[in-house]
Amino acid sequence: TLAGNQTRSFLAVPLIVQCAVTGLLAVSRAGDEPWQPDDEAVLSALADQSAAPIEIARLSEEVEHARLLADNQRLSSDLNLRVAELEGLLRVIPIGIAIADNPDCEVIRVNPALSRMLRMDAAEGTSYSAHDAWRRAIRVNRDGREISVREGVVQTAARTGRGGRSGRLIRT
């Protein structure tokens, strides 16, 4: 047969496992010299010896893939359950809690207790660093002076990796 710009001679035999063709073993060589019956017999013997191990390896990969999918589904379910439990606690705990979704504190989610304290809708989310409306509505004072966004406790903790103390939130 012709492959590319060179004539090549191909020989292929099936890989058979339990009377079913599971693949193909093929060889090629340059030139157009025909394969001999002994060549086909040797390749068939190699295919017979290789078919089961190749199929076992393929099935093992499928089993491993299925196991990983099942593990991912289980972990996802466990995570969703834990998130639901945490959200339930955040809804009923009587202290205000804020959670920043990223280190830049562009979105800060608050629980109902903090939402009530700030007199803001918890569903809107809050972020002193990202939302002008929130920044206009709330001032943060520490030691009697208004502090900058960068000095906010959430922003400082996100920036430094350490906790800190806040000032006093004042609704304007």
Side-chain angles (χ1 to χ4, degrees):
T1 62
L2 185 63
N5 293 332
Q6 297 181 356
T7 302
R8 295 192 182 269
S9 180
F10 288 90
L11 177 62
V13 295
L15 296 170
I16 300 173
V17 176
Q18 296 181 347
C19 301
V21 175
T22 60
L24 184 72
L25 182 60
V27 293
S28 72
R29 63 178 171 208
D32 56 3
E33 181 181 340
W35 294 92
Q36 300 301 314
D38 286 349
D39 297 329
E40 186 174 348
V42 169
L43 191 59
S44 290
L46 182 59
D48 290 345
Q49 294 296 311
S50 304
I54 290 170
E55 183 65 6
I56 289 169
R58 185 187 67 75
L59 292 172
S60 293
E61 286 179 8
E62 281 185 18
V63 167
E64 179 64 11
H65 181 71
R67 186 190 64 77
L68 290 173
L69 283 175
D71 283 351
N72 283 343
Q73 288 173 342
R74 180 186 52 78
L75 290 171
S76 179
S77 293
D78 288 350
L79 179 60
N80 288 336
L81 178 63
R82 299 297 179 259
V83 167
E85 290 171 350
L86 177 60
E87 287 174 342
L89 286 172
L90 290 174
R91 277 192 300 277
V92 299
I93 197 164
I95 61 171
I97 298 175
I99 300 173
D101 286 350
N102 60 44
D104 294 330
C105 303
E106 291 169 353
V107 176
I108 299 174
R109 293 180 288 143
V110 299
N111 72 336
L114 185 55
S115 177
R116 284 188 299 276
M117 288 178 209
L118 299 175
R119 290 179 275 154
M120 303 204 63
D121 183 0
E124 293 175 9
T126 57
S127 176
Y128 190 65
S129 60
H131 299 293
D132 287 336
W134 200 83
R135 205 173 15 242
R136 284 190 300 271
I138 301 292
R139 286 192 342 251
V140 181
N141 284 352
R142 184 180 298 140
D143 300 327
R145 72 170 182 83
E146 188 170 349
I147 64 172
S148 70
V149 170
R150 187 166 167 76
E151 295 174 282
V153 67
V154 177
Q155 290 81 358
T156 299
R159 187 177 62 256
T160 65
R162 296 187 316 263
R165 70 179 186 92
S166 182
R168 183 171 174 216
L169 293 175
I170 302 169
R171 177 103 179 154
T172 57

